[in-house]
Amino acid sequence: MNAHVQPQPVPGSGIARGDVLLQVDNVSLSFGGVKAITNISFDIRKGEIRAIIGPNGAGKTSMLNVINGFYHPQEGTITWRGEKRRKMKPYEAASQGIARTFQNVALFRGMTTLDNIMTGRGLKMKKSFFWQCLHWGPALTEEIEHRRRVEEIIDFLEIQAIRKTPVGRLPYGLQKRVELARALAMEPDLLLLDEPMAGMNLEEKEDMSRFILDVNQQFGTTIALIEHDMGVVMDLSDRVVVLDYGRKIADGPPEEVQANQDVIDAYLGVPHG
Amino acid sequence: MLYREAGQFKTTYAADQAIFPIAQDKWVVIAFAAIAFIAVPFLVNDYWTNAVFLPLLIYGLAALGLNILVGYCGQISLGTGGFMAVGAFASYKLMTSFPELNIVFVVLLSGGITALVGVMFGLPSLRIKGFYLAVATLAAQFFLIWLFNKVGWFYNYSATGQISAPDRAIFGLTVTGPTALPWVKYLFCLGFLAFFALVAKNVVRGRIGRNWMAIRDMDIAAELIGVRPLQTKLSAFAFSSFYVGMAGSLLFAVYLGAVEVTEAFSINVSFLVLFMVIIGGLGSILGSFLGATFLVLMPIMLKNAMVDGMGLLPVFAKHVEIMLMGLLIIFFLIVEPHGLARLWQITKEKLRLWPFPY
Ligand SMILES: Nc1ncnc2c1ncn2[C@@H]1O[C@H](COP(=O)(O)OP(=O)(O)OP(=O)(O)O)[C@@H](O)[C@H]1O
Ligand SMILES: [Mg+2]
């Protein structure tokens, strides 16, 4: 696989920074005749920003879908926090600490920014249906406690002004930011970002890059990032895995990957769009 | 500048999350409730109770229930009539089998039984969506009506197949049966509606309500942030059916007194309640009431204007009513899916800017 010496993963939750958080081994995924992913292995270490790049249709999104349990690979295994993962539903992956954003914004369009982000807190809210009916006592205390956390995220991402706006009315760039906020509200251990900057102008990209770095550094969140803009990838990521036609063609630090001839042939050298 | 939030700064999240964050809204609701609870009972007579208030309150409750399912959770249902029938027959069986049981508990238990039935018919919603779910709930409607019509146990093998409500009282005041006074019936139904409207409002602004809306807006994304689809949809079916069941119970026991299942709970009732929700506003508690009020009052006003006012034939007025209803449905579905509630909200936003509309 790759040339790095990997520290042994610690089972359970006590995974130190730099240890393997998620390991993908020999995963293959196909839809009928279409092979989306072929025999891919790589790992994501705690605390890093791991970029996944590759030309259109390379299988990047499919890879994220495998990681958060939306697709089930025909072959291969996934090891999460040192434990081999059984086939699971997306909401189970979510409850184990995996959050994501989507290539095409997937917000709850009829709800306000605040409600979208509050929905991300759902797994952490435990008060029973009975208290919910009263919206009082423990339920109200819980609601306010989580509102406070959500407001911290709102401040962090600088979206105070659109708190009460239905997200359907927001411009695209802000929608992407709200989607990041909703994922952050889950306080995930692993955050999967599928082209968080697609369709943004330069300024918006710079903002988003800063947010991603801040999330990684301030909260220590491990991030897997799909991105087409090579400048962004070089700036942000600690390690890069490159896919092409569903296969892994390179894996390593950004500079090393950038210099790799296979990668240049497959992706960097070829202008597309 | 009567309607403004200027100067009303929220200093706590609790205040910002209050049920009516704008003071004027709160006072309007309180005034409205005071009139409904204190003044109206002195004014109602038989005609007003039976023609206007009871249908309005009972259909309001049904519309509220259906709106939870359709408007908040995005699961379509054409089985409302059938579920109301479950509530009605549950009440009948409870009242005749346990004569000592208080009428309040009869209504609540009928809601509970309907909730169980609703969950059963909600099970397919995990697999099927939209049109197919509508057809499945339509099947539920026909099945339930057939069941209550065919199986004698449900109507205690009465010769006519009709069920009729025995007298029941609360605090010594008769609520059901022919001797019940109009204002008692009115207050009884109003109490249920007011209490459960408050409960619904509370639920939709908390975790469970947000999960319902998340499933409605984007079920895949909802699942990926940890919302369990089956549990969430079934909870909406249960909650919604509970309300619809109570409405069916009140319709039978308090309002009509005696019903024949194929007449009182036919598919027309399913559509009527659905139209209330659409015209009132999908995903709005207030909208459920606006829709119910509108569709209860419209036929009465049309009849008053056309038959009594202009001397036209009642049949003609009925036809106009049906056409008008159709037009309104088309209008709201195409132009304003959030219904009267949204129109009201727009008016409020304008009022907030008034007199400087920019
Ligand atoms: N649900 C699906 N059904 C059938 N084929 C699919 C499905 N999802 C993905 N594919 C196929 O798998 C391949 C990889 O798709 P994927 O979306 O993972 O690519 P990607 O690397 O994310 O591309 P892009 O940069 O365009 O987002 C494509 O050929 C695609 O058509
Ligand atoms: Mg993709």
Side-chain angles (χ1 to χ4, degrees), chain B residues 319-355:
Chain B
H319 288 168
V320 173
E321 178 196 324
I322 292 170
M323 284 194 304
L324 203 62
M325 185 121 96
L327 282 175
L328 281 167
I329 296 294
I330 293 169
F331 170 80
F332 277 109
L333 278 180
I334 294 174
V335 183
E336 189 48 80
H338 297 291
L340 292 171
R342 176 81 188 123
L343 295 181
W344 168 237
Q345 200 185 346
I346 293 172
T347 318
K348 284 206 299 188
E349 276 171 23
K350 292 247 165 74
L351 265 179
R352 214 178 282 189
L353 296 174
W354 188 83

Side-chain angles (χ1 to χ4, degrees), chain A:
Chain A
M1 268 202 327
N2 56 38
H4 300 276
V5 184
Q6 291 166 0
Q8 274 309 105
V10 188
S13 57
I15 293 178
R17 213 182 153 77
D19 289 353
V20 174
L21 181 65
L22 178 112
Q23 171 111 27
V24 176
D25 285 306
N26 310 100
V27 162
S28 296
L29 172 77
S30 53
F31 301 101
V34 184
K35 285 216 110 180
I37 298 176
T38 312
N39 197 28
I40 289 187
S41 306
F42 69 97
D43 62 6
I44 299 175
R45 294 193 194 147
K46 192 169 170 66
E48 74 172 341
I49 298 183
R50 184 71 146 127
I52 302 174
I53 65 170
N56 290 109
K60 307 181 293 295
T61 301
S62 303
M63 194 66 236
L64 291 198
N65 283 334
V66 167
I67 292 176
N68 68 8
F70 190 60
Y71 291 158
H72 302 288
Q74 281 82 9
E75 279 165 55
T77 57
I78 292 178
T79 312
W80 169 245
R81 296 173 162 286
E83 279 169 41
K84 208 151 138 195
R85 213 169 71 173
R86 58 183 184 82
K87 188 169 161 178
M88 62 163 60
K89 291 262 179 0
Y91 61 77
E92 293 172 297
S95 66
Q96 295 191 355
I98 302 178
R100 78 173 283 185
T101 66
F102 297 82
Q103 188 166 351
N104 312 309
V105 180
L107 286 171
F108 309 127
R109 296 182 62 85
M111 299 160 74
T112 62
T113 299
L114 184 61
D115 278 343
N116 265 275
I117 307 173
M118 282 295 281
T119 310
R121 300 292 300 175
L123 279 172
K124 301 208 178 317
M125 301 178 78
K126 302 282 179 231
K127 291 295 168 283
S128 68
F129 178 71
F130 171 75
W131 287 113
Q132 302 267 322
C133 287
L134 300 182
H135 202 269
W136 179 77
L140 188 59
T141 314
E142 181 183 55
E143 187 87 6
I144 289 169
E145 175 192 317
H146 287 273
R147 172 77 189 270
R148 195 165 289 132
R149 283 290 298 128
V150 164
E151 289 291 338
E152 282 167 26
I153 295 166
I154 287 177
D155 287 342
F156 175 75
L157 292 176
E158 297 160 18
I159 46 179
Q160 297 91 338
I162 56 166
R163 210 187 257 122
K164 297 281 174 77
T165 316
V167 290
R169 289 196 219 157
L170 296 174
Y172 184 74
L174 279 178
Q175 292 195 0
K176 284 255 173 191
R177 212 183 280 187
V178 175
E179 211 187 6
L180 176 63
R182 186 180 68 186
L184 286 180
M186 294 169 70
E187 293 178 22
D189 294 322
L190 174 62
L191 176 59
L192 312 172
L193 302 175
D194 197 346
E195 304 196 18
M197 287 164 247
M200 287 188 171
N201 63 32
L202 189 63
E203 198 193 324
E204 289 173 326
K205 274 189 186 179
E206 281 170 355
D207 283 345
M208 189 53 106
S209 300
R210 188 164 49 82
F211 291 136
I212 292 172
L213 275 179
D214 284 350
V215 168
N216 179 247
Q217 279 160 12
Q218 287 184 22
F219 306 149
T221 310
T222 311
I223 294 173
L225 169 75
I226 298 180
E227 185 47 54
H228 279 296
D229 185 322
M230 287 316 292
V232 170
V233 171
M234 294 299 139
D235 285 349
L236 292 186
S237 56
D238 298 306
R239 292 190 300 154
V240 184
V241 53
V242 190
L243 308 185
D244 190 23
Y245 292 111
R247 292 172 191 279
K248 184 168 102 170
I249 57 169
D251 190 348
E255 317 77 46
E256 205 179 293
V257 163
Q258 204 170 22
N260 184 312
Q261 192 57 44
D262 289 343
V263 177
I264 296 170
D265 289 347
Y267 184 61
L268 298 177
V270 188
H272 62 276

